[in-house]
Amino acid sequence: MDSQKEYSELIELIDLSEKVSDKVATYKQKIRRTCISLFLIIVSSIMLFCLYIPLTEYGAWGYHYRDFISLIVIIASMFLILFLISLLMRIQKIGKELKSESNILHNLLVLTDSVKQSISFNLSNVEKAIIDMRLSRIKFSKSNFSFFY
């Protein structure tokens, strides 16, 4: 095979690896944001119940509003539970996509490395340096967020 063609194929593999790496980073950021939302929902639920108990037990607003406050708390709790479930489902979905993209990135990096090794003797020092710098910018860890599925 022509070394120029192999070099262009290597550059294409690096370009694709960079795109997939960006996708992986985006998925990780989405999971982080969703986890923060999940934490806020849990804290909100705890605060809601901490406010509910004194309002109903000690009759802070009188016994006339006890049923009304209970109804509001029950409705708010149902919405919080539904939102919590949707966030958990979203984390699971993004986690599966992240795992898929991570596997693709791993395969691309293995292929890129083998192509790089096969043509490394035909490359100039500048071309080798450019390839190494581009590959060093690609962040990869196969174990990230594996606890979601």
Side-chain angles (χ1 to χ4, degrees), residues 4 11 13 21 30 35 37 39-40 44 46 49 52 56 66-68 71-72 87 91-92 95 102 110 118 122 125 132:
Q4 188 61 30
I11 295 300
L13 283 172
S21 177
K30 284 182 181 180
C35 286
S37 298
F39 174 75
L40 291 174
S44 299
I46 291 170
F49 287 113
Y52 170 72
T56 55
R66 180 185 241 171
D67 293 336
F68 179 70
L71 181 65
I72 289 174
L87 287 175
I91 288 173
Q92 186 178 20
S102 293
V110 168
S118 70
N122 292 332
N125 288 337
D132 288 337

Side-chain angles (χ1 to χ4, degrees), residues 10-144:
L10 179 61
I11 295 300
E12 284 180 40
L13 283 172
I14 293 173
D15 288 339
L16 186 58
S17 297
E18 288 172 338
K19 289 177 186 175
V20 173
S21 177
D22 290 342
K23 241 181 172 178
V24 166
T26 301
Y27 286 141
K28 288 179 182 180
Q29 185 64 29
K30 284 182 181 180
I31 286 180
R32 282 186 205 103
R33 286 184 190 147
T34 307
C35 286
I36 290 170
S37 298
L38 189 66
F39 174 75
L40 291 174
I41 291 297
I42 291 171
V43 168
S44 299
S45 299
I46 291 170
M47 288 176 57
L48 180 69
F49 287 113
C50 286
L51 288 173
Y52 170 72
I53 292 170
L55 287 176
T56 55
E57 283 296 316
Y58 304 113
W61 287 355
Y63 292 105
H64 304 304
Y65 297 108
R66 180 185 241 171
D67 293 336
F68 179 70
I69 293 171
S70 297
L71 181 65
I72 289 174
V73 168
I74 289 170
I75 291 172
S77 299
M78 288 183 352
F79 281 117
L80 288 173
I81 289 170
L82 290 175
F83 194 56
L84 183 78
I85 291 170
S86 72
L87 287 175
L88 289 171
M89 289 172 55
R90 181 174 181 196
I91 288 173
Q92 186 178 20
K93 179 184 173 202
I94 295 170
K96 287 178 183 177
E97 292 169 355
L98 175 62
K99 185 177 182 181
S100 172
E101 291 295 324
S102 293
N103 287 336
I104 291 169
L105 181 59
H106 173 71
N107 293 336
L108 278 170
L109 291 176
V110 168
L111 183 61
T112 300
D113 189 52
S114 67
V115 171
K116 178 184 157 196
Q117 295 300 324
S118 70
I119 66 167
S120 65
F121 59 90
N122 292 332
L123 298 176
S124 70
N125 288 337
V126 173
E127 289 172 328
K128 286 180 187 178
I130 290 171
I131 289 170
D132 288 337
M133 284 185 272
R134 288 185 69 185
L135 287 173
S136 69
R137 288 190 313 195
I138 298 173
K139 294 175 179 54
F140 179 73
S141 174
K142 205 163 178 163
S143 65
N144 286 343

